[in-house]
Amino acid sequence: MEAAYKGVLTIFLGVGGCLLYYYLSNQFLDKVLYPAKGDNAGRNINRANMIRPWLFLMPAMVALGLYLAYPVVATLWYSVTDRNQGGAFIGLANYQQMMNEPKFWEAMRNNMLWLIIVPAASTAFGLMAAQLTDRIRWGSIAKSLIFMPMAISFVGAAVIFKLIYDTRPADQAQIGIMNAVWLQFEGGVGSWLILRLLPALLMLCGAAISVYTAYGLFNAMHKKGGVILRSIGILVLALIAIAFLSLGVGALTSVHPYGEPQTWLTTPGWNSFLLMVVLIWIQTGFAMVIISAALRGIPEETIEASIVDGANPFQVFFKIKLPQITGTIVVVWTTITLVVLKVFDIVFAMTNGQWETQVLANYMFDKLFRANDWGVGSASAMIIMLLVSPILIWNVYNARKEMK
Amino acid sequence: MATIAGSKSSLTWAVHISVTALVLLWLFPTMGLLVSSFRTSDQISESGWWRALFPTEQNLTLRTADPDDEGVQVQTNGVYVIDGNLFEAGSEATISVWGTSSREIDIYKAGDTAELNDGETITVQENGDYVWSAPTEISGRGQRVFATATTPPEFTLDNYKNVLFSGDSTDSMAKAFFNTLTVTIPATIIPIVIAAFAAYALAWMNFPGRAILVAIVVGLLVVPLQLALIPLLRLHLGIGIGKGYLGVWLAHTGFGLPLAIYLLRNYMVGLPRDIIENARVDGASDFEIFTKIILPLSFPALASFAIFQFLWTWNDLLVAKVFLIDATGETTVMTNQIVELLGTRGGNWEILATAAFVSIAVPLLVFFMMQKYLVRGLLAGSVK
């Protein structure tokens, strides 16, 4: 309880201090420095009004500069110096050391997977949920339930999903739903249909969608140009399609250890995906809310016209609605990408980067606070910054355009 | 879409089913935690939580009272009798079949009488009442009874009592709860105050460099706070703040400001110009316009950001770990406490689930109460 009293007291002091600053500084400006009376009243008012914006902005600018702008420079500096040599400049040695570590490349590889899968899956689920819930009467309740994980902390979600992935020895009752379901499969026809045919078909669908999108890009390239960006897109999509196909083949051919409870989180290969599920579960609601608002913002005339012209529901969705919300989807995608790049708590709480699940943010934390290697830690932070900067530039560019 | 054209889609039922499935899928994980937090550790390890909602059939090994204990054995008409109930008081389990040997656990029905050695007999009723009688004095340990019993769903609040009110420092969430609250409230209010003033200046005051400042704020929106950890920790240690509440408030304020300024500025720009200009003509100063007109009108935007920042600071682990929690662990927050429980109490799901739910409950409450503002803030923050 003592902590509570102290907390309340400090809340009053902190917030009160802030308010007091604004009040007193304005009073000072108006009453003491440039009083709006006497001989120079007019000049004083003008001068006070020139200074006032900076009075209003000062605390924010100090905080932003100190807590966000300065660290970028400082981290850059730490990443090219060595703390043990008294902060001597050592060029790119830290980066070199980092590049030689297999754990770093593991983190990079995993981060790339996270970057592709989580935004894609969250956006896709969100789009589906938005489209479906908008059509029914209890849609708003459904929406708020799907949206709910947004309020749950990553750590809480980690506990929730650890319970799902929990493993007990074979002779005990399984309390994790994943193993309980897994033990229902015994290798018969049902297992074949659900564990082999279904995933293989899903992978085939994924491959088909990527090929179709690549084909669309190819056509657009012929019509509109933009050869470089579009060919990169096609290349990436082709790689994704190949990955889908090989996963599909794997689903058909791999040997499943039926009847044995699996330790899901410690089996390299799939465990990263199981961690991604946690973030997808959280972010889908966000995607759904934004996309649903965009869907409702589509002018109804366009939809009515297409229906009058004889479009079926699928055509309406893919050819009329989807193209009109592309901008929103890009925003959702980039927002989730930013979350993914900073994902730390989930990995930290569930596996702490063991069993080949490392990601950059956790790698960095590991270097900073466990290995106490500030140079490499800062270097990996700079890598995260580097990955974020295209989005940063894009956002600033858009904001500038809007201001004009 | 079809409804707009005037005809109801024939696929409505499919939509209903898929939405139901989706909602259940999304609720299922949280339900697991919630249900588990109301079960005892035995119940959790005996069956999956999804069975907790239905009566369960279990094979139990039970034991009668010990004959050697004082007053247990009663002699009437030359027959020694021990009677009692196999279950603990308050149990609502019902026995269907039972046995006295581990090899034959289902040879007797409830109400049957079993013959034991030396002319002893035992009768077990459905509700666990037993009568164990013998012609001579019974000695040794209590008789084992293997029973197949159906237990109705049973829930307990003991976990919450343990986690919230027991003095045990390793499992206790009470302190962490207050610490989290102490971090959260100033870390929510301070950035709002600072950002509101800055947003007003950026929206309604004319000064050189305004556009550039807005662009900088937009840029800082996406700077990962990972970059800030070491420089700021050094700074805090250097200027004597060290690790503590002040440091974590300042850090949260700094990290939350770009979004706050961005949201509030976008909202304030949209306020009607006439009101502000009329007030200016009437002689109101900027400070008065801000506190008397802009602030009340901006309530929705303030509320949206407040919810964001509250959720973010309440759920944060990284900032607290770096800027707040020192070696003594006195200032631990709930997220950190849970991560530590995951390490030390990895298998004790009753404690883990309860602790996690305690920390989740407040944000969920805020979420459901103020969802309108949260959604509004999300839309203002990302859709342009």
Side-chain angles (χ1 to χ4, degrees):
Chain A
M1 283 315 274
E2 198 197 334
Y5 292 131
K6 239 185 341 192
V8 171
L9 185 71
T10 30
I11 288 165
F12 272 113
L13 285 181
V15 177
C18 272
L19 289 173
L20 216 61
Y21 157 78
Y22 287 108
Y23 182 73
L24 288 183
S25 64
N26 272 283
Q27 288 292 317
F28 178 74
L29 189 68
D30 289 335
K31 298 272 148 68
V32 182
L33 202 57
Y34 295 116
K37 54 186 177 225
D39 298 340
N40 301 326
R43 200 192 69 190
N44 278 356
I45 289 175
N46 281 343
R47 283 197 181 161
N49 281 345
M50 265 168 69
I51 294 178
R52 203 185 322 276
W54 302 104
L55 230 49
F56 276 50
L57 280 169
M58 176 102 88
M61 278 170 60
V62 169
L64 285 179
L66 204 59
Y67 279 82
L68 286 168
Y70 155 73
V72 176
V73 183
T75 305
L76 182 63
W77 176 246
Y78 290 144
S79 75
V80 292
T81 54
D82 188 353
R83 188 185 173 203
N84 295 330
Q85 296 174 30
F89 182 78
I90 51 165
L92 294 178
N94 284 324
Y95 290 90
Q96 211 155 26
Q97 190 193 336
M98 184 172 72
M99 301 282 175
N100 287 332
E101 278 187 40
K103 215 51 186 164
F104 168 73
W105 289 110
E106 180 195 311
M108 279 297 270
R109 205 173 45 240
N110 281 334
N111 248 68
M112 290 304 137
L113 280 177
W114 279 78
L115 276 182
I116 295 171
I117 292 171
V118 176
S122 308
T123 315
F125 276 123
L127 187 61
M128 194 169 80
Q131 173 65 17
L132 289 175
T133 50
D134 275 349
R135 304 178 60 187
I136 54 178
R137 211 173 300 138
W138 54 286
S140 60
I141 300 170
K143 247 185 230 155
S144 79
L145 290 176
I146 295 176
F147 191 32
M148 184 191 71
M150 268 295 276
I152 295 176
S153 61
F154 286 166
V155 174
V159 175
I160 289 175
F161 276 83
K162 265 205 142 172
L163 181 60
I164 288 179
Y165 301 145
D166 192 77
T167 312
R168 294 276 158 134
D171 54 342
Q172 291 176 20
Q174 295 297 329
I175 64 167
I177 187 80
M178 190 117 160
N179 265 316
V181 170
W182 169 249
L183 290 182
Q184 298 298 311
F185 294 110
E186 72 302 295
V189 179
S191 311
W192 190 84
L193 284 177
I194 294 175
L195 290 183
R196 290 187 191 280
L197 194 63
L198 188 68
L201 284 179
L202 283 178
M203 293 299 127
L204 199 67
C205 284
I209 290 172
S210 357
V211 168
Y212 181 77
T213 320
Y215 175 73
L217 277 182
F218 184 74
N219 276 347
M221 188 162 79
H222 270 274
K223 279 184 209 144
K224 296 183 201 157
V227 179
I228 300 171
L229 275 179
R230 289 213 163 88
S231 15
I232 291 174
I234 291 173
L235 198 70
V236 170
L237 283 167
L239 286 178
I240 292 174
I242 291 170
F244 268 128
L245 279 181
S246 65
L247 280 175
V249 173
L252 281 177
T253 53
S254 64
V255 182
H256 294 314
Y258 291 113
E260 293 166 28
Q262 299 291 302
T263 51
W264 302 109
L265 286 178
T266 59
T267 316
W270 286 105
N271 49 5
S272 276
F273 294 95
L274 295 179
L275 298 188
M276 290 176 208
V277 168
V278 183
L279 196 56
I280 295 171
W281 179 70
I282 293 175
Q283 292 294 332
T284 295
F286 163 74
M288 175 193 69
V289 165
I290 306 275
I291 292 173
S292 152
L295 280 177
R296 259 181 273 147
I298 294 176
E300 277 186 26
E301 300 84 53
T302 60
I303 297 163
E304 276 168 19
S306 70
I307 293 174
V308 169
D309 287 349
N312 66 35
F314 286 96
Q315 282 173 323
V316 171
F317 182 70
F318 285 104
K319 301 234 152 126
I320 309 292
K321 285 188 166 181
L322 214 50
Q324 296 193 63
I325 58 165
T326 327
T328 308
I329 290 180
V330 170
V331 170
V332 169
W333 193 291
T334 48
T335 312
I336 299 177
T337 303
L338 288 172
V339 177
V340 170
L341 276 170
K342 301 176 204 169
V343 67
F344 158 78
D345 314 33
I346 294 177
V347 178
F348 182 76
M350 288 185 84
T351 62
N352 198 9
Q354 291 168 288
W355 309 293
E356 298 181 19
T357 55
Q358 190 66 292
V359 292
L360 275 176
N362 193 52
Y363 173 83
M364 192 209 79
F365 188 84
D366 215 57
K367 284 286 162 207
L368 287 187
F369 297 105
R370 224 161 287 140
N372 256 322
D373 190 341
W374 287 16
V376 175
S378 301
S380 50
M382 285 317 291
I383 300 279
I384 300 178
M385 184 68 212
L386 201 69
L387 291 173
V388 168
S389 39
I391 300 176
L392 189 151
I393 293 164
W394 171 251
N395 276 1
V396 172
Y397 170 77
N398 276 344
R400 301 280 297 172
K401 210 166 59 178
E402 228 169 82
M403 291 276 290
K404 276 169 194 163
Chain B
M1 44 189 128
T3 47
I4 295 163
S7 70
K8 210 168 163 80
S9 168
S10 58
L11 285 173
T12 314
W13 60 271
V15 174
H16 279 284
I17 292 175
S18 17
V19 172
T20 312
L22 207 62
V23 167
L24 287 180
L25 196 66
W26 248 252
L27 269 185
F28 192 78
T30 323
M31 280 298 290
L33 197 76
L34 180 63
V35 171
S36 295
S37 73
F38 290 110
R39 305 178 79 202
T40 66
S41 70
D42 287 343
Q43 284 174 324
I44 290 178
S45 59
E46 267 159 22
S47 61
W49 64 266
W50 52 94
R51 290 181 202 279
L53 307 171
F54 310 102
T56 47
E57 202 177 67
Q58 289 170 306
N59 292 326
L60 304 170
T61 305
L62 306 160
R63 201 178 273 280
T64 65
D66 196 331
D68 297 338
D69 284 350
E70 192 74 23
V72 165
Q73 216 166 141
V74 183
Q75 187 189 8
T76 43
N77 305 332
V79 181
Y80 291 86
V81 174
I82 300 175
D83 56 9
N85 192 298
L86 290 167
F87 297 114
E88 288 163 27
S91 166
E92 286 170 46
T94 49
I95 293 174
S96 52
V97 289
W98 58 282
T100 52
S101 148
S102 58
R103 265 166 290 162
E104 299 172 307
I105 61 167
D106 54 356
I107 54 171
Y108 304 111
K109 286 202 189 68
D112 285 356
T113 302
E115 302 278 334
L116 303 169
N117 300 332
D118 310 328
E120 294 177 14
T121 59
I122 182 164
T123 310
V124 176
Q125 302 296 338
E126 206 175 277
N127 63 359
D129 283 345
Y130 64 89
V131 179
W132 182 13
S133 55
T136 55
E137 190 173 355
I138 306 171
S139 62
R141 302 176 63 194
Q143 173 65 39
R144 277 197 300 174
V145 173
F146 300 90
T148 304
T150 312
T151 32
E154 206 185 331
F155 298 103
T156 168
L157 284 171
D158 286 355
N159 297 329
Y160 284 93
K161 226 183 281 169
N162 261 341
V163 162
L164 285 176
F165 304 114
S166 82
D168 186 0
S169 63
T170 50
D171 293 347
S172 171
M173 294 292 280
K175 193 177 67 184
F177 188 92
F178 281 116
N179 289 346
T180 304
L181 213 57
T182 314
V183 170
T184 307
I185 293 176
T188 307
I189 299 175
I190 296 174
I192 291 182
V193 175
I194 296 180
F197 279 94
Y200 173 72
L202 289 176
W204 287 108
M205 287 168 141
N206 274 320
F207 58 92
R210 192 170 77 161
I212 292 173
L213 278 180
V214 173
I216 290 176
V217 168
V218 172
L220 290 177
L221 263 178
V222 302
V223 169
L225 66 91
Q226 265 88 358
L227 267 85
L229 301 184
I230 298 183
L232 290 182
L233 188 58
R234 272 187 81 155
L235 184 78
H236 280 182
L237 294 175
I239 60 176
I241 295 176
K243 283 189 163 197
Y245 287 117
L246 187 59
V248 83
W249 293 336
L250 290 175
H252 275 311
T253 302
F255 301 148
L257 265 184
L259 183 67
I261 298 176
Y262 179 74
L263 277 182
L264 293 176
R265 191 202 87 97
N266 279 1
Y267 189 87
M268 287 177 187
V269 161
L271 292 175
R273 177 174 285 274
D274 298 352
I275 302 179
I276 294 152
E277 277 175 1
N278 283 346
R280 276 219 178 105
V281 169
D282 288 349
S285 71
D286 273 314
F287 191 76
E288 281 167 336
I289 294 174
F290 174 74
T291 48
K292 297 210 175 115
I293 298 173
I294 301 282
L295 222 44
L297 282 179
S298 311
F299 176 75
L302 295 172
S304 328
F305 174 74
I307 296 167
F308 271 124
Q309 183 75 356
F310 174 81
L311 290 180
W312 156 244
T313 46
W314 187 278
N315 291 338
D316 158 78
L317 171 68
L318 185 58
V319 176
K321 255 187 125 54
V322 175
F323 294 107
L324 175 64
I325 300 161
D326 51 18
T328 62
E330 271 302 304
T331 49
T332 184
V333 292
M334 281 199 283
T335 44
N336 186 59
Q337 189 80 349
I338 292 169
V339 171
E340 269 168 21
L341 284 177
L342 272 175
T344 56
R345 298 289 206 139
N348 296 42
W349 279 108
E350 75 285 359
I351 290 174
L352 267 177
T354 315
F357 212 82
V358 166
S359 96
I360 291 173
V362 175
L364 281 187
L365 203 70
V366 171
F367 172 84
F368 280 116
M369 274 167 44
M370 313 198 59
Q371 199 181 3
K372 191 174 77 183
Y373 294 109
L374 184 67
V375 170
R376 212 180 275 176
L378 275 181
L379 293 176
S382 48
V383 177
K384 289 165 203 161

